[in-house]
């Protein structure tokens, strides 16, 4: 993992960057392998630029909005009972969780490839054995149906950014342009990949992973060296826009007073 | 006049229906509403070759059954211990070929359960189109929509022989009420009952039937779907009974330490928590102190 000398932690930076991607009036679900990061991103968006954004707790249907409400701590377990009182105004029945539109959702992954397809199922180890991941959860569904999705990777290495997945659990842009249309998939596919090294999006024409910015303290060369899949690198790559004073103040005073994202 | 039949049961009698090789559906989700006293009793009885279905997410419930050697096949969309990490017993048993894994997404398990609940042969989803799921799981069939021709995935009806649920309260007729979220327990009860399986619920509290009759909107699951109600105070421990008490995070962390240390440590954990605590009452007396119980309740009432 690259060293981090910035005055904010990697989860804090991830929450701030992801919050900027969420627009007012959207409906989405935070999920993935450290769901407090996307949950913080969504609450931060509500409290800065998207006051009408609705958060649906992934697979439990708590519909929440933090605007004008007392702060509430972030919890590791997404369905923690205390989340029912964290800005929740209504609870969907379990079937309603899958009948409600999603403008976005978040995915973690064991592996991601250059078209944003992801693996959460199994990794082939060097000795030929297989390591099981947690499984698809609902990501095969939401990658098919949600308008867009964001992938956050806690590790940026040649083991996690790969040319060929060991298993395709959820579909991004499939085999490239035309794949999603041919299969009749509803949503638009992956919009963004964020890692501790940088931010990536997808080229509009080729749908290939493209470097958008590198975080301060990281370098383009190191990032590319640690990427095992095809990556479009523009001639100039800007720094990731750091958290503003206002974003950091709202994040630390209203969203994450307990500092869950700093530990 | 004939007497109505009570469904209140002792755990041994309720689980007498459970045979080796049965398809078992487990309710709740992640660390919530898991019928852990029933799970421990199954491990204690040494039942073998179960096909375990979680609707939709599982944690220590399925990992413990795998560690105890009760499981032949896992049908679970997400199996992990959330912030404590991956399900390590599951991982070990899968790596060494001791269990089969039926790869699936939440919506595929739901489609299979909905099909069973409606007495249909299969349910259809869009989920899984363009992924490896239908390649590694032969039960997920690529099909074409007869109207548009577009690619879909068909899932066969999942017909549990037995369903294990945990509710906050129940009465002797089998009505069940949840203080918090019932997750997908209603669907599990519908599917299992419709295909002739048995629905067994543990409840924190067995209350007088008049509590349910006084308010028909109180019950989340109607008695006609339930075959046995087992009184098990704190019966979800170390998981939460959603809205009634919290999950015991320190206990879950200790479980994971043993799982991480390997099979011998895990066997020792099972001996301590399952084998040598022969009943749920013995388990309660040994592992749940009044101080701990107060703490698990306190977090339910803590609000900003």
């Amino acid at each position: 993992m690259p060293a981090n000398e910035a005055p904010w932690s990697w989860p804090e930076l991830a929450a701030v960057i992801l919050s900027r991607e969420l627009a007012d009036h959207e409906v989405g679900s935070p999920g993935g392998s450290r769901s407090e990061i996307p949950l913080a991103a969504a609450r931060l968006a509500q409290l800065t630029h998207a006051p009408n954004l609705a958060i649906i707790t992934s697979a439990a249907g708590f519909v929440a909005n933090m605007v004008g409400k007392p702060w509430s701590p972030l919890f590791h377990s997404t369905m923690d009972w205390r989340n029912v009182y964290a800005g929740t105004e209504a609870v969907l029945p379990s079937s309603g969780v899958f009948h409600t539109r999603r403008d976005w959702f978040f995915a973690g992954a064991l592996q991601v490839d250059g078209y944003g397809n992801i693996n959460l199922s199994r990794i082939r180890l060097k000795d030929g054995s297989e390591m099981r991941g947690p499984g698809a959860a609902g990501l095969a569904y939401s990658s098919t149906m949600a308008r867009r999705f964001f992938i956050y990777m806690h590790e940026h290495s040649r083991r996690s950014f790969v040319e060929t997945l060991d298993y395709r659990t959820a579909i991004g842009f499939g085999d490239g342009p035309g794949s999603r249309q041919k299969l009749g998939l509803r949503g638009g596919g992956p919009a963004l990949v964020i890692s501790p090294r940088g931010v990536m999006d997808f080229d509009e024409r080729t749908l290939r992973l493209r470097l958008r910015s590198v975080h301060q303290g990281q370098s383009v060369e190191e990032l590319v060296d640690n990427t095992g899949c095809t990556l479009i690198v523009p001639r100039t790559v800007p720094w990731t826009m750091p958290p503003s004073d206002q974003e950091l103040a709202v994040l630390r005073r209203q969203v994450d007073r307990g500092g869950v994202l700093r530990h | 006049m004939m007497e109505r039949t009570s469904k209140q049961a002792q755990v041994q009698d309720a689980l007498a229906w459970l045979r080796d090789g049965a398809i078992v559906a487990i309710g709740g989700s992640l660390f919530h509403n898991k019928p852990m006293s029933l799970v421990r009793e199954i491990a204690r009885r040494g039942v073998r070759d179960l096909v375990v279905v979680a609707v939709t997410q599982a944690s220590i419930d399925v990992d413990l059954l795998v560690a105890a050697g009760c499981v032949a096949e896992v049908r679970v969309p997400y199996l992990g211990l959330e912030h404590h990490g991956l399900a390590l017993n599951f991982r070990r048993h899968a790596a060494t070929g001791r269990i089969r894994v039926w790869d699936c997404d939440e919506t595929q398990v739901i489609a299979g359960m909905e099909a069973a609940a409606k007495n249909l042969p299969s349910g259809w989803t869009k989920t899984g189109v363009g992924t490896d799921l239908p390649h590694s799981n032969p039960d997920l069939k690529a099909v074409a929509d007869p109207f548009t021709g577009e690619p879909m995935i068909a899932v066969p009806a999942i017909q549990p022989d037995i369903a294990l649920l945990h509710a906050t309260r129940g009465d002797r007729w089998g009505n069940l009420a949840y203080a918090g979220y019932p997750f997908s327990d209603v669907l599990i009860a519908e599917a299992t009952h419709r295909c002739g399986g048995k629905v067994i619920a543990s409840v924190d509290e067995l209350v007088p039937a008049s509590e349910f009759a006084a308010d028909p909107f109180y019950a989340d699951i109607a008695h006609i779907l339930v075959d046995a109600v087992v009184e098990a105070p704190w019966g979800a421990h170390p998981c939460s009974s959603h809205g009634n008490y919290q999950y015991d995070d320190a206990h879950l962390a200790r479980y994971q330490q043993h799982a991480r240390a390997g099979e011998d440590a895990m066997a020792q954990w099972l001996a301590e928590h399952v084998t040598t605590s022969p009943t749920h009452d013995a388990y309660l007396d040994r592992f749940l102190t009044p101080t701990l119980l107060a703490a698990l309740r306190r977090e339910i009432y803590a609000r900003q």
Side-chain angles (χ1 to χ4, degrees):
Chain A
M1 196 59 58
N4 180 9
E5 286 161 14
W8 41 78
S9 68
W10 142 246
E12 284 183 320
L13 178 66
V16 169
I17 293 167
L18 292 168
S19 77
R20 296 172 185 155
E21 300 292 321
L22 310 179
D24 205 9
H25 296 283
E26 288 186 333
V27 176
S29 284
S33 58
R34 269 196 72 182
S35 56
E36 63 271 21
I37 293 175
L39 180 58
R43 288 182 181 173
L44 180 60
Q46 289 175 332
L47 296 170
T48 51
H49 63 271
N52 303 289
L53 183 97
I55 301 170
I56 303 180
T57 310
S58 175
F62 311 151
V63 187
N65 184 310
M66 295 307 289
V67 177
K69 301 204 178 82
W71 78 279
S72 191
L74 294 168
F75 299 107
H76 292 296
S77 183
T78 51
M79 297 167 190
D80 192 303
W81 169 254
R82 292 166 291 185
N83 274 340
V84 176
Y85 292 97
T88 299
E89 296 169 13
V91 181
L92 305 176
S94 63
S95 58
V97 169
F98 297 100
H99 297 169
T100 306
R101 92 169 201 263
R102 295 292 199 287
D103 294 306
W104 45 261
F105 79 99
F106 292 86
L110 302 170
Q111 293 177 322
V112 59
D113 72 14
Y115 285 122
N117 303 300
I118 58 179
N119 175 10
L120 290 127
S121 300
R122 57 183 79 152
I123 298 281
R124 252 192 308 278
L125 302 176
K126 279 194 187 123
D127 64 6
S129 66
E130 261 187 0
M131 188 197 86
R132 282 272 165 188
L139 292 175
Y141 168 76
S142 25
S143 62
T144 301
M145 291 296 183
R147 194 153 65 80
R148 66 194 190 286
F149 64 97
F150 310 108
I151 301 165
Y152 63 109
M153 304 291 288
H154 298 303
E155 183 190 303
H156 190 138
S157 71
R158 289 177 168 271
R159 282 193 309 261
S160 54
F161 286 72
V162 297
E163 193 60 39
T164 310
L165 300 176
D166 291 338
Y167 188 96
R168 188 193 286 177
T169 312
I171 187 163
F173 290 115
D175 302 322
S179 267
R180 291 188 68 93
Q181 290 78 357
K182 199 174 101 208
L183 297 169
L185 306 182
R186 302 297 194 267
L192 198 83
V193 181
I194 179 171
S195 81
R197 297 184 191 275
V199 181
M200 289 135 277
D201 57 13
F202 295 87
D203 177 64
E204 293 75 10
R205 194 176 54 80
T206 62
L207 303 179
R208 283 280 185 188
L209 193 66
R210 174 177 65 191
L211 186 55
R212 191 168 92 174
S213 67
V214 286
H215 307 329
Q216 280 176 18
Q218 314 297 325
S219 76
V220 175
E221 292 71 31
E222 268 184 296
L223 187 147
V224 170
D225 281 350
N226 283 283
T227 304
C229 62
T230 309
L231 177 70
I232 298 173
V233 183
R235 202 164 299 155
T236 53
V237 179
W239 296 114
T240 303
M241 198 202 295
S244 69
D245 291 346
Q246 194 228 354
E247 285 169 326
L248 218 50
V250 175
L251 184 69
R252 289 180 176 171
R253 286 189 202 145
Q254 286 173 267
V255 174
D256 183 27
R257 273 162 73 152
V260 169
L261 300 179
R262 285 196 290 280
H263 301 140
Chain B
M1 198 169 67
M2 291 272 292
E3 285 290 313
R4 208 173 153 183
T5 309
S6 170
K7 291 174 181 169
Q8 185 181 356
Q10 298 299 314
V11 65
Q12 293 83 356
D13 301 328
L15 289 177
W17 287 309
L18 187 60
R19 301 270 178 265
D20 288 356
I23 300 177
V24 180
I26 302 182
S29 199
L30 296 174
F31 294 138
H32 312 286
N33 288 352
K34 290 296 182 181
M36 292 304 295
S37 69
L38 303 178
V39 163
R40 283 186 291 267
E41 179 61 20
I42 289 171
R44 219 172 266 136
R45 293 160 66 103
V47 182
R48 289 285 175 268
D49 296 329
L50 299 177
V51 175
V52 180
V53 188
V55 191
T56 55
Q57 303 186 340
S59 59
I60 187 175
D61 51 339
V62 173
D63 195 58
L64 190 158
L65 286 175
V66 168
C70 303
V71 178
E73 183 175 313
V74 169
R75 301 183 173 193
V76 180
Y78 170 95
L79 178 47
L81 272 71
E82 287 204 283
H83 50 288
H84 295 295
L86 296 167
L88 300 173
N89 292 297
F90 162 70
R91 201 169 98 176
R92 263 197 297 271
H93 281 247
T96 48
R98 283 176 283 178
I99 53 170
R100 299 186 301 272
V101 181
W102 197 84
D103 291 305
C104 58
D105 180 271
E106 288 168 3
T107 49
Q108 292 162 337
V109 168
I110 288 173
M113 296 293 285
E114 282 177 347
K118 294 170 184 166
N119 200 7
L120 297 175
S122 67
W124 288 32
T125 71
K126 191 73 199 176
T127 305
V129 169
T131 73
D132 283 329
L133 290 165
H135 303 143
S136 66
N137 183 346
D139 278 346
L140 304 176
K141 292 255 190 278
V143 292
D145 175 67
F147 300 99
T148 62
E150 80 165 270
M152 302 282 287
I153 300 281
V155 188
I158 299 172
Q159 301 177 310
D161 297 302
I162 209 157
L164 307 174
L165 309 177
H166 183 81
T168 318
R169 290 180 195 88
D171 70 11
R172 66 183 186 281
W173 310 132
N175 296 299
L176 302 176
Y178 292 72
Y181 200 53
F183 299 97
S184 300
D185 285 14
V186 181
L187 175 60
I188 296 175
E190 288 168 345
T192 307
H193 178 75
R194 189 68 184 267
C195 67
K198 301 287 186 190
V199 176
I200 299 170
S202 58
V203 295
D204 292 318
E205 242 186 308
L206 193 88
V207 298
S210 56
E211 274 195 34
F212 281 87
D215 176 6
F217 290 97
Y218 184 60
D220 293 285
I221 298 183
H223 64 87
I224 51 172
L225 300 179
V226 178
D227 296 282
V229 178
V230 177
E231 191 183 26
W234 309 94
H237 182 270
C239 296
S240 88
S241 178
H242 208 238
N244 198 27
Y245 48 85
Q246 272 287 25
Y247 52 99
D248 184 347
D249 216 35
H251 188 105
L252 293 166
R254 283 195 298 279
Y255 174 89
Q256 188 70 339
Q257 277 166 14
H258 284 79
R260 190 166 284 123
E263 302 215 5
D264 290 346
M266 199 55 226
Q268 183 205 330
W269 194 95
L270 285 170
E272 199 178 330
H273 294 82
V274 177
T275 330
T276 64
S277 301
T279 62
H280 182 56
D281 284 349
Y283 175 91
L284 291 184
D285 287 342
R286 192 161 165 190
F287 298 107
L288 280 81
T289 64
T291 319
L292 174 64
L293 297 183
L296 297 181
R297 290 283 284 173
R298 196 174 298 126
E299 290 195 335
I300 293 294
Y301 298 113
R303 295 180 193 169
Q304 296 297 322

